Amino acid sequence: MLVRAITAPVLRRWCRARRSAAAACFPLGRALLGVRGAEAAVFLQGLLTNDVTQLVASGDAPPALYAHALNVQGRCLYDVILYRLHGSTAEEPHILLECDSSVLDSVQKHLKLYKIRRKVTIAPCPELSLWAVIPGEQPGDASSLPKCADQALLLTPDPRAEVMGWRLIAKKGANLSEIIPGCQIGDVQDYHRHRYKQGIPEGVKDLPPGVALPLESNLAFMNGISFTKGCYIGQELTARTHHMGVIRKRLLPVRFPAPLPSAGIPAGADILTESGRRAGKFRAGGGQLGIALLRLAHAGEPLRIALPGHSVSLSASTPQWWPKADAK
């Protein structure tokens, strides 16, 4: 069954774009797990931060959701994107779960630990390929709406932020130029640099399991959490932090004046102010861009990372796609 998650507002966004710019398709090293069965959504509901029951609701159900799986202390274990493959409520619920491929086995074990007697099956989907489709540097900067998605299992806007373009799931070996006419196959490192520029975390390097906190990781900004759903693992600390309304640190995009050293910067390296005060920690980067967890009080100051024999300067910025009331 083919699922084409293309709606009228999305169509208008693509059609307003510059027709001379080609969309770039990036092959992602992310894994896909199929979660299928009558209780698929109810099962995932107790494990994830978002309201998964939306995927099986009648009416205008979303084609994709972003969420985190948390540990009992409320820290992130895995960042996931969920995709609805069933076409209607009359069909058996079929949800694809996208995760970092390096933790695929851990995600499967985590799910099966809580499966108990739920009527669900959990299985990897190695026959499918996952692509990011980035129209350009600005939202809507693309050639046109895909004219033929017949080879696509699912084609949907990225649920995290409009600046991240689309997510495409196709069968391995599918012809991308037939799915998105005029597209260009891009280097996945350019995709990661685009993420860093927008401050979008993805995978265990950006969100270290058992370390990252969901609200500091901008989960609420990326439509990845429901504060009205029922209980889920790790909810208590997350809800308390939200209702207190005080978040002193956030993941922010950072820029270096020159490309990173060939040896790179160690994950978790301390970021300091000019006076030597700790401002945060570096997570990951490539070229002149990266992402770091920073104290908002120091985010506007000149910053540096001390390395053996020298230091590297960097600056942080607030992503333009953030809610304006929180962009401070």
Side-chain angles (χ1 to χ4, degrees), residues 227-243:
F227 295 108
T228 59
K229 64 175 280 187
C231 295
Y232 58 89
I233 295 173
Q235 178 194 30
E236 184 177 351
L237 175 62
T238 306
R240 185 166 66 246
T241 303
H242 169 70
H243 291 300

Side-chain angles (χ1 to χ4, degrees), residues 267-322:
D270 285 332
I271 297 176
L272 309 173
T273 65
E274 285 190 324
S275 62
R277 297 183 65 184
R278 289 186 178 179
K281 290 186 178 294
F282 180 75
R283 288 282 174 82
Q288 294 177 245
L289 301 171
I291 194 167
L293 181 68
L294 291 170
R295 293 186 181 276
L296 296 177
H298 299 305
E301 301 178 25
L303 302 170
R304 62 186 177 87
I305 297 176
L307 297 174
H310 70 291
S311 65
V312 176
S313 61
L314 68 157
S315 60
S317 61
T318 299
Q320 292 185 354
W321 60 268
W322 274 20

Side-chain angles (χ1 to χ4, degrees), residues 9 11 44-45 84 110 129 133 136 140 143 145 150-151 157 185 203 226 272 279 312-314:
L11 188 149
L44 293 171
Q45 181 78 339
R84 173 176 54 85
H110 182 72
S129 60
V133 183
S143 56
L145 180 75
D150 290 343
Q151 292 191 57
I185 306 301
S226 169
L272 309 173
V312 176
S313 61
L314 68 157

Side-chain angles (χ1 to χ4, degrees), residues 138-153:
Q138 298 297 329
D141 181 12
S143 56
S144 64
L145 180 75
K147 296 296 191 294
C148 174
D150 290 343
Q151 292 191 57
L153 190 66

Side-chain angles (χ1 to χ4, degrees), residues 13-24 134-137 140-145 147 181-184:
R13 284 206 303 269
W14 281 75
C15 291
R16 283 199 301 263
R18 294 194 319 233
R19 297 185 179 276
S20 60
I134 305 295
E137 292 290 58
D141 181 12
S143 56
S144 64
L145 180 75
K147 296 296 191 294
C183 72
Q184 299 176 351

